[in-house]
Amino acid sequence: MLYAILCYHDEDMVGSWSKEHDASVMQKLSVVQDKLAKQGKLGPVARLLPTTAATTLRKENPPLVLDGPFAETKEQLLGFYLVEGKNLDEVLDIARDLGEANPGGTYEIRPVGYFTPGSAKT
Amino acid sequence: MSVTDTAWIDAALTSARPQAVGALLRYFRNLDTAEEAFQNACLRALKSWPQNGPPRDPAAWLIMVGRNVAIDDIRRSKKQEALPDDDQAISDLGDAEEELAERLDGSHYRDDILRLLFICCHKDLPPTQQIALALRIVSGLSVKQIARAFLVSEAAMEQRITRAKARVADANVPFETPGAVERSERLASVAAMIYLIFNEGYSASGDTAEIRSPLCEEAIRLARLLLRLFQSEPEIMGLTALLLLQHARAAARFDADGQVILLDDQDRSLWNEKLIAEGLALIDKAMRHRRSGPYQVQAAIAALHARAEKPEDTDWTQIDLLYGALEIMQPSPVITLNRAVAVSKVKGPEAALEMIEPLAPRLASYFHYFGVRGAFLMQLGRNEEARVAFDRAIALANTTAEAAHIRMHIDRLMRDSQPRNVKAK
């Protein structure tokens, strides 16, 4: 079954990481990702731009384009992974590995109901 | 404790600083006390966090600890200083942190940060003092770092900051949350202050780029912070976009020897794609609001450069129009000078030269005026006049990199004119 692992963290804090620190976190994450990729369990991985760059489309008539997701909470959705796992336990282990590589922040694990790989360039 | 652990704590402290200092300032109503309380809380964090792990909310932890330490200090000192009313007693015990975090979660954070930013750009302070104070109080740069960035002595910068603090204290700044009208007025000065911090870093010469680049990054951090507080202000989106798009070119702006590389000659693969993507998203979103302003227009110009994969793809006609809009919003000979560069690409150097002639009296001591004028004259083959303009530019250069860049033009003129002279003979 496919699971989405959604990564939440305080965007201000992640934004104030030094370049070196950011690179070292990405490096540690890539170790976990490479392992998953070799096992054929890793789908697309995305790191999102800050929530301030976000736009929201409200389904009104005519559709209303708004700013933000108005993230007033402490932690924002900063990125996500798509992974193949037998069950929740296995995916929790994966999330734990990711969490060790990237201390702080929270991971939400959501089973995927529908998925189409698409063809956009990365 | 590994190096990265410390880096994580540093990042958390930097990130929490405006919120924590802002809240402590609200409580103690004194910049020095608030700053000192924060410093003390940071020292405790450096001891406690590596052992006990990070708190749930670093800012709330720092506010709580900072407050308690400062209160103890005030009690211990013989000074008959009245403590602020203890509106809500906070104890180190139990789940005070969570409680405080919850209380701070909403509007307090926003108001505290704003108050802090607003105090730093108090209208009685000259811009240089506003920037210095903001870098010290909001960003937490050391006096030494700020002094280096502004190329003044540490003592002079210390004095500037002390004077600014005294002035703020004398001005009896109201600590109530500003009303809507006042807020929007002051928002403009906060935005201007961030813009100035960025410019201070951006106009770095080659030999000090390393020292000043952190100023650009700090300005971006503050702009993002402001944007988080005002998520639907198109001008704040424009400001943030502008800084991101300009800073995206940082790696391509100077060569290995610290010499200036002009936009047309920059290696565009060195431009930071991630910053560009964020900047473009922000300016696109800002434009949808249909409330234009100078930062948005400047960001739109920067966006047109960022969107051009090759220099010849640049939409100079659109840039000329945007500078025209900017001239109307903020009439300034410097903007006209910039517009002339776009005009030279669209209509040729002759039209551009004609456009900048009337600016001469007002830009008589402006380095870029003579640099641009020289370039137009050179394009027209009026080499002798070009050389006179370039000589003037060198005399007015602010940095060695600027002077070296102009000298390169003069060398090119010499090379170009040599064979012609030979032929003439």
Side-chain angles (χ1 to χ4, degrees):
Chain A
M1 173 157 208
L2 273 182
Y3 288 85
I5 301 180
L6 310 176
C7 174
Y8 290 84
H9 205 323
D10 181 337
E11 172 168 88
D12 280 347
M13 191 184 294
V14 173
S16 64
W17 284 353
S18 69
K19 256 178 253 154
E20 296 74 30
H21 183 60
D22 198 286
S24 94
V25 170
M26 293 308 272
Q27 166 58 30
K28 284 186 203 158
L29 286 171
S30 74
V31 174
V32 182
Q33 285 163 223
D34 288 349
K35 200 176 95 190
L36 292 171
K38 276 197 195 108
Q39 297 167 341
K41 289 178 184 167
L42 188 69
V45 177
R47 183 172 180 176
L48 305 177
L49 284 177
T51 50
T52 44
T55 309
T56 310
L57 184 71
R58 290 276 160 90
K59 283 193 219 160
E60 284 168 36
N61 199 15
L64 193 60
V65 178
L66 291 171
D67 303 309
F70 294 95
E72 290 289 332
T73 48
K74 280 197 291 289
E75 295 195 327
Q76 291 81 32
L77 176 63
L78 299 192
F80 61 83
Y81 299 82
L82 214 58
V83 297
E84 175 81 46
K86 280 196 297 291
N87 50 39
L88 182 61
D89 283 341
E90 189 186 346
V91 183
L92 278 170
D93 282 341
I94 293 172
R96 238 173 250 130
D97 285 347
L98 290 169
E100 255 168 50
N102 175 20
T106 316
Y107 289 92
E108 178 186 335
I109 291 144
R110 293 269 293 273
V112 172
Y114 168 78
F115 174 71
T116 167
S119 58
K121 280 188 292 176
T122 49
Chain B
M1 189 170 65
S2 76
V3 178
T4 42
D5 284 338
T6 330
W8 185 86
I9 292 175
D10 275 351
L13 296 179
T14 311
S15 160
R17 186 181 175 102
Q19 293 165 345
V21 176
L24 290 165
L25 178 67
R26 168 161 51 85
Y27 188 66
F28 291 109
R29 305 201 165 202
N30 178 297
L31 271 178
D32 284 323
T33 315
E35 220 194 338
E36 203 176 308
F38 180 75
Q39 299 295 0
N40 283 325
C42 287
L43 289 177
R44 297 210 175 188
L46 286 172
K47 272 191 214 140
S48 153
W49 294 2
Q51 281 168 24
N52 306 330
R56 265 163 298 190
D57 184 330
W61 191 98
L62 291 163
I63 295 164
M64 178 183 73
V65 172
R67 221 193 231 199
N68 291 342
V69 174
I71 289 172
D72 283 350
D73 282 352
I74 294 172
R75 285 211 182 103
R76 221 178 303 126
S77 69
K78 296 275 186 279
K79 276 183 275 173
Q80 288 298 309
E81 206 173 313
L83 277 170
D85 286 339
D86 221 8
D87 49 10
Q88 264 128 357
I90 291 171
S91 82
D92 267 322
L93 305 168
D95 237 359
E97 185 204 323
E98 188 176 35
E99 229 175 88
L100 183 63
E102 242 140 61
R103 276 209 306 276
L104 286 169
D105 230 5
S107 55
H108 266 341
Y109 268 169
R110 177 185 154 115
D111 289 341
D112 286 342
I113 295 174
L114 281 181
R115 192 178 298 112
L116 194 60
L117 289 168
F118 288 159
I119 282 172
C120 293
C121 33
H122 196 278
K123 57 182 185 324
D124 291 351
L125 296 177
T128 49
Q129 284 186 23
Q130 292 182 1
I131 301 174
L133 198 58
L135 289 174
R136 178 71 209 105
I137 304 289
V138 186
S139 308
L141 296 191
S142 71
V143 174
K144 194 173 168 188
Q145 285 172 306
I146 305 172
R148 276 206 327 181
F150 286 87
L151 305 173
V152 300
S153 74
E154 208 175 323
M157 186 48 76
E158 180 79 66
Q159 207 180 27
R160 203 185 281 181
I161 292 171
T162 310
R163 222 179 287 144
K165 277 185 186 167
R167 203 128 177 207
V168 167
D170 288 347
N172 238 332
V173 183
F175 277 81
E176 289 66 45
T177 307
V181 174
E182 203 186 348
R183 183 176 278 184
S184 75
E185 276 169 17
R186 294 209 230 160
L187 185 58
S189 31
V190 174
M193 187 259 298
I194 294 173
Y195 183 71
L196 289 175
I197 292 176
F198 184 86
N199 278 349
E200 211 41 61
Y202 187 79
S203 42
S205 69
D207 39 16
T208 57
E210 268 173 31
I211 298 168
R212 293 190 181 205
S213 175
L215 281 187
C216 292
E217 277 152 32
E218 187 52 32
I220 289 173
R221 202 175 69 84
L222 293 175
R224 282 194 177 123
L225 182 69
L226 201 59
L227 185 58
R228 290 276 300 279
L229 300 173
F230 294 94
Q231 301 226 0
S232 48
E233 272 304 327
E235 267 296 83
I236 305 299
M237 290 175 209
L239 172 68
T240 313
L242 173 64
L243 305 191
L244 289 166
L245 292 169
Q246 299 289 56
H247 194 55
R249 294 197 291 263
R253 288 179 58 222
F254 299 97
D255 69 13
D257 304 325
Q259 306 293 332
V260 181
I261 306 175
L262 289 184
L263 198 55
D264 276 4
D265 305 322
Q266 287 174 12
D267 175 357
R268 294 183 181 221
S269 70
L270 293 177
W271 290 2
N272 185 321
E273 271 176 53
K274 214 166 116 190
L275 296 184
I276 289 176
E278 189 183 344
L280 292 179
L282 280 172
I283 188 61
D284 282 353
K285 186 165 73 159
M287 304 286 241
R288 301 192 69 95
H289 286 258
R290 310 228 171 280
R291 274 193 288 136
S292 190
Y295 295 127
Q296 288 172 77
V297 175
Q298 290 175 73
I301 293 168
L304 286 169
H305 288 302
R307 286 197 157 104
E309 279 176 29
K310 300 188 293 296
E312 55 270 32
D313 298 340
T314 313
D315 187 348
W316 288 106
T317 308
Q318 192 65 25
I319 291 175
D320 176 20
L321 287 172
L322 286 167
Y323 270 122
L326 200 56
E327 270 182 317
I328 294 167
M329 288 174 190
Q330 284 181 331
S332 137
V334 173
I335 290 170
T336 309
L337 183 66
N338 278 296
R339 186 180 182 184
V341 175
V343 167
S344 78
K345 305 276 186 181
V346 180
K347 297 181 192 147
E350 192 131 30
L353 195 62
E354 206 172 291
M355 196 172 165
I356 67 164
E357 291 295 354
L359 307 176
R362 277 181 299 165
L363 296 180
S365 54
Y366 189 57
F367 163 78
H368 290 288
Y369 177 76
F370 293 96
V372 168
R373 189 183 149 80
F376 293 159
L377 287 164
M378 194 168 76
Q379 285 169 42
L380 289 166
R382 288 155 67 174
N383 289 359
E384 207 33 58
E385 289 167 89
R387 192 202 296 237
V388 172
F390 285 142
D391 280 342
R392 183 87 191 106
I394 287 183
L396 293 167
N398 299 309
T399 64
T400 46
E402 281 180 355
H405 180 73
I406 296 295
R407 231 166 259 129
M408 185 194 76
H409 278 310
I410 294 181
D411 289 349
R412 198 181 291 167
L413 278 180
M414 302 273 283
R415 271 203 312 275
D416 289 355
S417 53
Q418 227 76 333
R420 225 172 283 157
N421 288 345
V422 173
K423 264 181 219 160
K425 277 177 197 166

